[in-house]
Amino acid sequence: MNRIPVMAGNWKMNTTPDEGVRLANGLKEKLAGIDDVEIIVAPPFTHLFQVKEAIGSSNIRLSSQDMSPEDSGAYTGEISPVMIKALGCQYVIIGHSERRQLFGETDALVNKKVIAALKHGITPILCIGETSAERESKETLHVILTQLKGGLNGLDADIWKDIIIAYEPIWAIGTGKTATDEQAQEVHQFIRKTLEDLFGEVIAGKTRILYGGSVKSDNIAGLMVQPDIDGALVGGASLSVESFEKIIKFNRS
Ligand code: PGA
């Protein structure tokens, strides 16, 4: 199955609007003409509009880092799928481990958000991953299964649209400790097998599964040759034009 690789930059709570626009303009210039990688940036909500204006109709696509599961209403501080869609977001990161760990997001809430994104035609990037304690006690695959089933609860093959899964071991995020290629592949293969059990071979075969956690220009190539790794969700290294460009061009000389 030929899956188009996805490289997504999660800027987290970094950049001012001006810095974000500079980063977007730099990427637009350096990445012009690349049409065999789906390139995504996820700036903070505050400058989605400016970044969308900067990237224009280039090959860079826009994602938000989160969203409410509700369309509108009395939810002070929340941002709805309708709003991010109107700003040009084609993707939304859902259930990032920082949302789960720091803001108490549960699989049930994550699931509501996935369903809301699909309802609005926004592609969810559903994040799952284990802590280091869970890995040490050999619970990794159990945790992955629970988060995957929880996040995709209620979906079936008929309403499945494009959903991207991001495997991000929590112990590898922002720590400089990447999973080895083999550790990542083992979990990616398990995710694909689980998707096959839940939704069938066709959906499992076409779903892009990204790796995230200290991805850098010097470890991306080894990850990308793994058969079930279809791209990366990149935090720190997506904040500079040079390093994100190198990651996206990992297979070009
Ligand atoms: P990192 O973050 O690349 O800085 O480890 C990845 C992520 O949290 O998506």
Side-chain angles (χ1 to χ4, degrees):
M1 170 67 72
N2 198 15
R3 294 181 290 267
I4 297 172
V6 175
M7 295 294 184
N10 174 11
W11 297 1
K12 308 193 179 183
M13 197 173 74
N14 294 297
T15 69
T16 62
D18 283 353
E19 288 164 351
V21 166
R22 261 201 302 279
L23 180 52
N25 281 331
L27 291 172
K28 184 170 138 181
E29 187 193 325
K30 296 289 185 185
L31 302 175
I34 295 182
D35 56 6
D36 55 356
V37 178
E38 223 164 280
I39 304 166
I40 303 170
V41 292
F45 289 123
T46 44
H47 32 300
L48 285 173
F49 179 76
Q50 286 97 320
V51 171
K52 179 65 195 162
E53 295 267 293
I55 57 183
S57 58
S58 71
N59 54 350
I60 302 174
R61 301 180 183 188
L62 196 65
S63 174
S64 78
Q65 298 176 16
D66 184 28
M67 61 170 212
S68 165
E70 307 296 337
D71 288 358
S72 64
Y75 301 99
T76 302
E78 289 288 272
I79 310 283
S80 88
V82 179
M83 297 170 187
I84 62 167
K85 180 120 200 229
L87 288 172
C89 289
Q90 291 174 265
Y91 307 82
V92 56
I93 299 172
I94 294 179
H96 189 279
S97 62
E98 286 148 20
R99 302 291 327 160
R100 293 176 189 261
Q101 293 208 307
L102 304 174
F103 303 99
E105 291 202 8
T106 60
D107 282 330
L109 178 59
V110 167
N111 180 235
K112 274 180 144 184
K113 293 184 179 189
V114 168
I115 290 171
L118 293 174
K119 180 179 119 190
H120 289 282
I122 304 168
T123 300
I125 302 175
L126 169 62
C127 302
I128 55 179
E130 82 286 2
T131 62
S132 66
E134 288 161 345
R135 175 159 284 268
E136 272 156 33
S137 55
K138 308 217 176 316
E139 288 172 77
T140 298
L141 299 184
H142 173 71
V143 169
I144 293 300
L145 185 65
T146 306
Q147 291 181 349
L148 201 55
K149 280 187 165 168
L152 300 175
N153 189 29
L155 296 179
D156 60 35
D158 293 341
I159 59 165
W160 184 280
K161 298 203 195 97
D162 193 18
I163 297 180
I164 295 173
I165 309 288
Y167 167 57
E168 299 204 299
I170 294 169
W171 47 272
I173 295 179
T175 57
K177 253 202 256 173
T178 334
T180 63
D181 302 340
E182 294 71 28
Q183 279 172 328
Q185 167 58 21
E186 183 199 8
V187 178
H188 280 235
Q189 189 178 26
F190 176 76
I191 293 170
R192 200 174 306 285
K193 176 72 180 69
T194 305
L195 292 176
E196 188 180 326
D197 294 344
L198 294 172
F199 304 106
E201 212 178 325
V202 174
I203 284 175
K206 68 181 182 191
T207 298
R208 274 84 57 85
I209 307 174
L210 316 185
Y211 170 79
S214 298
V215 170
K216 303 271 180 307
S217 57
D218 58 5
N219 57 28
I220 184 69
L223 290 161
M224 290 301 288
V225 295
Q226 302 302 315
D228 290 297
I229 298 183
D230 307 309
L233 182 54
V234 185
S238 73
L239 290 171
S240 104
V241 173
E242 199 194 0
S243 58
F244 197 43
E245 179 196 0
K246 277 194 191 150
I247 289 172
I248 290 165
K249 295 184 178 168
F250 73 96
N251 60 353
R252 291 159 212 255
S253 48

